[in-house]
Amino acid sequence: MEFQFNTDSSVMGTENVAERIEAQLRKRLGRFEERLTRLEVHVTDSNARKGGDDDKSCRIEARPRGGDPVVVTAQAGDVDLAARQAGEKMVSLLESHFGKADRHHR
């Protein structure tokens, strides 16, 4: 599974942030790895340097093999929490997505 990390100019897009989020999402979504071709993660900060609650956003797009992309978004006060919450949403979405596909193939 390919992993792509994108950030806007107001979020620290350092390797450390990207590595942390990638490791977190690979661990959380690892059981779906054979069924996905790519994960794209987009992290943004809507208030930039002004600060504020829940101003960090994480959007995850997963691309199932042979299927249409699925997307989730979460907002939080920091990028790690936003990524964690988006990861939880993606697990739930993929469980539902693949569960339905598995039921149709039986």
Side-chain angles (χ1 to χ4, degrees):
M1 172 177 66
E2 182 184 337
F3 188 93
Q4 184 177 352
F5 185 82
N6 303 291
T7 181
D8 67 12
S9 61
S10 60
V11 175
M12 293 198 41
T14 65
E15 286 294 318
N16 189 21
V17 171
E19 288 172 3
R20 242 185 6 252
I21 290 174
E22 179 177 357
Q24 176 192 131
L25 292 174
R26 282 191 182 274
K27 182 178 178 181
R28 186 166 303 251
L29 301 170
R31 64 185 160 149
F32 303 109
E33 189 164 355
E34 293 300 315
R35 300 178 98 172
L36 300 173
T37 60
R38 181 169 58 189
L39 274 184
E40 289 186 33
V41 178
H42 303 268
V43 179
T44 58
D45 182 345
S46 60
N47 291 339
R49 289 173 177 70
K50 296 176 191 171
D53 294 336
D54 295 344
D55 63 335
K56 310 297 187 290
S57 176
C58 180
R59 179 178 170 265
I60 302 173
E61 179 178 313
R63 297 181 181 235
R65 291 187 191 284
D68 293 329
V70 293
V71 178
V72 297
T73 303
Q75 290 187 276
D78 66 72
V79 293
D80 291 299
L81 181 56
R84 233 180 349 269
Q85 291 174 348
E88 290 169 8
K89 288 180 179 182
M90 184 57 76
V91 166
S92 179
L93 179 62
L94 291 175
E95 285 174 343
S96 175
H97 176 81
F98 290 130
K100 289 177 183 175
D102 290 346
R103 285 190 295 277
H104 289 281
H105 283 99
R106 290 185 186 165

